[in-house]
Structures are given as C-alpha cells and as structure tokens.
Amino acid sequence: MAKVKTVFRCSVCGGTSPRWVGRCPSCAEWNSLVEELGSPSGDREHAATTQAVPIGEVDLQAWHSVPTGVPEVDRVLGGGLVAGSVTLLGGEPGVGKSTLLLQVAAAMTRGERRVLYVSAEESVQQVRLRAERLGTITPTLWLAAETAVPAVVAQVAAVSPDCLIIDSLHTLHHPDSASAPGSVTQVRECAAALVREAKARALATILVGHVTKDGALAGPRVVEHLVDTVLSFEGERHHALRALRVVKHRFGSTDRLGMFEMTGAGLGAVPDPSRLFLADRRAGVPGSVVVPMLDGHRPLLVEIQALVGPNGQAPAPRRAAQGVDRGRLSTVVAVLEQRVGAPLGRADVYASAIGGVRVCEPGADLAVALAIMSSLAGEPVPSEVVVCGEIGLGGELRQVNQCERRLAEAARLGFTAAIVPRHAPDPPPGLHALRATTVGEAIALAGIPLP
Ligand code: TYD
Ligand code: MG
C-alpha cells in the first residue's frame, strides 16, 4: 500500500518541516506549523494528456490579452487580461484592492463583457454602496456574496461571466477540505479549484489576496505558483499614492509599474508622479536629497530624508527606516563610518522615502548617504541637485542601470546638476554631471564638510 506522508506546514510562509517544531525553520515564526496530510506517494504510470507540438506551431492566439478599460492597469499587465488566466492581487487591508477591482469590473462591463464580482468579505449591499460612490453601476456587473468554493462555481455556471473577481481568497473555504478555514491548505485548495475552473472555462479570474504586515502574501508562496500573474498593490495608509506592481507575469514583463491616487471618487491614474512626489519639498533643509529611481520601466524622482541624532540613554543606537531598505541603510551607515570617518557609531539614524514609496534599489545608496551626511553636518544639499549611485563596501561608487533615463527625468523636472559615479553616461542637455569615484568625493561635491 502507498504510504501517506505527513508534513507540517507553516501557516505564515507556507514552508514545510517533516516534524513539528515550535518555530518555523523558514520564516522563524513561533507556533505556526500545522499538520497536513500529504497524498499517498508511490510510482504510477501516466498517459500523455496533451499532444506535443513543434515549437513553431504553438498557438499564440490563446494568449491574446483583452484590455480591462482601466489604462493604468492595462499598462501594468502589458495589454490586459488573458482569457483563462488567473491573477492574484495582493495588498494590505485598506490599500484599495476592492476599490480598484470594482473600477476594473465596471470598465470591463462597458466593453459589453459580463463580470461576476464575488464578495466573500462584504455584503452585496456594501459593494453596491461603494459602486454607487464610484459611479460604477453597470448592467452586466453581477454581484454575489459567497464564501464556499462550490457555491462560487455554481454562480459562475449561472452567470457565465467573461471575468470572475473573488474578493477575497482568504475568506473562501472549501467544504471538501479537511483543514481548518483560513489555513494555508484551505487557501491553496480554494485557489487550485478556482484555477481549474478558470482554465476549464477560459475565464479570466482575479483573486484578492491578503498580505501580512511585512508585505508577504499570506499563505502565499503556495498560491503564487498556482496562478499566472501576481500583482501587488502598495501604498502607505496615510498617503493617497498607490503603486501597482507586477511580481510575476506569465504573459509579459514584470517591470511595469502603475501609479494611482486614492481620491474621494475612487482611484485615479497619476500622470506625473515625480512632480507629485516633489510638490511639498522644502528647499534648503539639511538631510533632504532627491534620487532619480527606476521603478519598473518608469523613472521616478523621490525625496529621501535622513535625520541624525545623538544617541540618548538607549543601549544601542536606533536605525529606523521608512520606505528605505533597512539592510541598505545599515550598510551605508557602516561604510560612512569606516570609509569617511563619520561619527555615526553611537548616533541614532532615521531615513525615510517621502510619499509612501519604497526605495529598495542599490541606486539610492548615495542619496541615503548624502542625506545622512547633510543632516549630520546641518548643511543642506543644493536643491537643484539629484544624486544617484550604488555604494560598494569599499566606499567606491558604482553605476546604476539606465542612468540616462533617470537623469532625463531629473532634467525634465528642472534639476540642473547630478552627482553620479565617475563612469556614468553623459547627462541630457541642461543637466550638469558632477562625477565622483568615492562616497567621500561625492560628499565634497555636494558641498558638505567632511567630518
Ligand atoms: P478598499 O478598496 O476597501 O481597500 P481593501 O479592499 O484593499 O481593503 O478601500 C480602502 C480605503 O479607501 C478605505 O479606507 C476608504 C478609501 N476610499 C477612498 O478614499 N475613496 C473611495 O472612493 C473609496 C471607494 C474608498
Ligand atoms: Mg477589500
């Protein structure tokens, strides 16, 4: 008889362990492993289920994407939704996932398509009220409040939509599943059932997924590999700006970014995010530096601020980062200490990216470094200067990718000088390149006295 294997699966990250342990070996969460019965193992013979074809004869028609009608979403998806594809939209509660999808649903129905919006979190009345606020009441947008997967499938059979939206995956359950509702196994089984349904009916499906506080999709990896596309909707709760990012995309590139603004009448596209980011910037303040980032294909100017304070009575200095990668912040602080002798060993250092954006790329290292040095010295970086470059552990500056596009964006917004690594490409007209080999040289070029 085939042996039934038991594994223990982490309900936070989806990692597995052959035996129960108190702390997940993958994500180090305490008490998160749940027993899960595996399928019987053993070798069986399988017949081929499809016909192999020469590569040149593969039919690409099936991958034809249809615009949703929300231009910013279509841009991110590289055209629109593919029939039979399954898209997971992740984001923190309150970021605007339901709002975005209601707008997508309504836009699709204006193209004469039928959309079924299954609300497993809110009542149909609540969804209708929101749709009224958004002005998205259309005759072919259907609503159903269901939480069981077979009931959702029955609704799909009854409405026969072109697109199915499930809000959200984590509030669905599958009555055939033996695992607890909300567990990773349940979430995965619900997702798998919906993926089968999508493929069988060539139904474009969008699943809303929750993310945990550190930004990972809850229950997550296990769902990510089941679906064709994973989108992440991000933004700070207290800011209006939202970014739609592609994490995985079987039908196109993953480096596109959509920008939205949450308004009283729903989400609107942001035509010029750089200008918006810099709108409230105060010139001449120490600790403020503008970096031309590249988010997806899109150049974005972002203000980085740093504040350096003396360490009080605390046993260890504080390093707080908001929107700036903590690991990179620590590295930059260490390099400044070791390579230019900045007295940061006992100082508290705060760094933040303004506007609720997340700056994770190494190309922002130099901006973080100059913001810190500017705050430390109480000397502002000239307000017409942008800064870009990666810092190596030796304090050397390294080039960043697509520097021309970044600098072109800076020139467009009226900046006149850029501090860049020695071998960076020539800047566009109107922008003067200040070239530096080391972080120390860059500090001097910014007019900040070295410690
Ligand atoms: P929601 O779409 O419910 O977020 P999610 O589904 O990701 O949990 O929207 C969340 C917030 O957006 C909510 O706090 C109210 C706000 N909001 C607006 O500011 N304007 C609007 O037009 C709508 C519909 C919502
Ligand atoms: Mg919601």
Side-chain angles (χ1 to χ4, degrees):
M1 207 185 89
K3 212 171 134 222
V4 176
K5 250 172 76 187
T6 301
V7 292
F8 292 84
R9 189 175 292 278
C10 172
S11 53
V12 175
C13 76
T16 57
S17 158
R19 69 196 79 77
W20 192 87
V21 284
R23 190 171 198 189
C24 171
S26 307
C27 72
E29 183 71 24
W30 289 98
N31 204 17
S32 62
L33 293 190
V34 183
E35 184 173 1
E36 182 176 277
L37 285 181
S39 49
S41 59
D43 293 332
R44 268 172 282 160
E45 282 193 19
H46 290 287
T49 54
T50 56
Q51 186 96 46
V53 287
I55 190 165
E57 290 170 27
V58 171
D59 180 16
L60 286 176
Q61 274 307 308
W63 271 33
H64 177 64
S65 63
V66 185
T68 62
V70 177
E72 200 70 356
V73 172
D74 292 336
R75 219 173 49 72
V76 169
L77 290 172
L81 288 173
V82 173
S85 70
V86 181
T87 303
L88 180 67
L89 173 69
E92 285 176 22
V95 73
K97 302 178 295 296
S98 305
T99 307
L100 181 68
L101 290 182
L102 212 46
Q103 290 180 241
V104 166
M108 288 182 86
T109 58
R110 285 189 200 107
E112 303 285 295
R113 277 168 294 169
R114 217 176 244 251
V115 177
L116 174 59
Y117 187 108
V118 174
S119 174
E121 275 185 2
E122 296 166 306
S123 66
V124 286
Q125 286 79 8
Q126 281 171 304
V127 180
R128 180 187 166 156
L129 278 180
R130 175 177 302 132
E132 277 181 6
R133 256 182 76 188
L134 296 170
T136 55
I137 307 275
T138 64
T140 54
L141 172 52
W142 291 68
L143 290 186
E146 298 287 0
T147 53
V149 171
V152 172
V153 172
Q155 295 277 8
V156 169
V159 176
S160 94
D162 302 287
C163 175
L164 170 68
I165 295 174
I166 306 283
D167 190 359
S168 70
L169 181 60
H170 295 85
T171 38
L172 284 191
H173 68 275
H174 204 303
D176 296 346
S177 170
S179 339
S183 68
V184 175
T185 315
Q186 274 271 351
V187 169
R188 190 179 48 177
E189 282 172 359
C190 292
L194 292 167
V195 169
R196 277 195 299 277
E197 198 61 24
K199 303 295 169 200
R201 292 178 181 269
L203 174 66
T205 301
I206 305 177
L207 309 172
V208 172
H210 287 182
V211 297
T212 53
K213 49 188 179 312
D214 50 8
L217 282 166
R221 305 275 154 233
V222 282
V223 182
E224 283 189 11
H225 82 260
L226 289 175
V227 301
D228 301 299
T229 302
V230 179
L231 301 177
S232 161
F233 202 37
E234 299 166 6
E236 291 277 324
R237 236 177 176 207
H238 305 290
H239 284 98
L241 213 70
R242 302 285 181 272
L244 184 65
R245 249 177 250 285
V246 195
V247 179
K248 162 183 173 178
H249 198 18
R250 285 193 181 143
F251 309 106
S253 109
T254 53
D255 55 8
R256 296 210 176 82
L257 170 85
M259 295 295 263
F260 296 88
E261 191 177 12
M262 182 63 94
T263 69
L267 290 155
V270 178
D272 193 350
S274 294
R275 206 174 288 282
L276 187 81
F277 281 141
L278 299 179
D280 296 328
R281 183 166 183 240
R282 271 173 63 218
V285 177
S288 157
V289 173
V290 174
V291 56
M293 293 198 349
L294 204 66
D295 209 334
H297 273 314
R298 201 163 191 170
L300 269 187
L301 295 193
V302 178
E303 180 185 358
I304 306 268
Q305 287 187 347
L307 187 65
V308 178
N311 175 236
Q313 296 306 310
R318 284 174 61 91
R319 303 278 185 258
Q322 206 164 42
V324 174
D325 185 75
R326 280 182 67 93
R328 297 217 76 90
L329 173 63
S330 307
T331 309
V332 166
V333 169
V335 170
L336 289 174
E337 273 190 83
Q338 296 299 320
R339 305 295 171 200
V340 296
L344 295 167
R346 294 195 51 76
D348 293 335
V349 179
Y350 305 88
S352 96
I354 304 302
V357 269
R358 283 188 198 147
V359 178
C360 313
E361 58 161 324
D365 285 354
L366 185 57
V368 173
L370 292 190
I372 291 170
M373 295 308 292
S374 163
S375 171
L376 184 67
E379 191 70 45
V381 173
S383 62
E384 68 282 1
V385 171
V386 292
V387 165
C388 88
E390 178 180 346
I391 301 179
L393 292 180
E396 77 283 9
L397 293 189
R398 293 160 184 265
Q399 286 203 63
V400 298
N401 62 338
Q402 304 200 40
C403 196
E404 295 98 325
R405 301 191 52 208
R406 297 168 192 255
L407 297 184
E409 178 75 350
R412 184 179 74 82
L413 279 136
F415 287 85
T416 55
I419 301 180
V420 290
R422 164 83 65 218
H423 297 293
D426 286 334
L431 199 74
H432 177 59
L434 302 166
R435 298 176 186 275
T437 311
T438 63
V439 63
E441 281 176 36
I443 293 167
L445 283 172
I448 300 167
L450 274 171

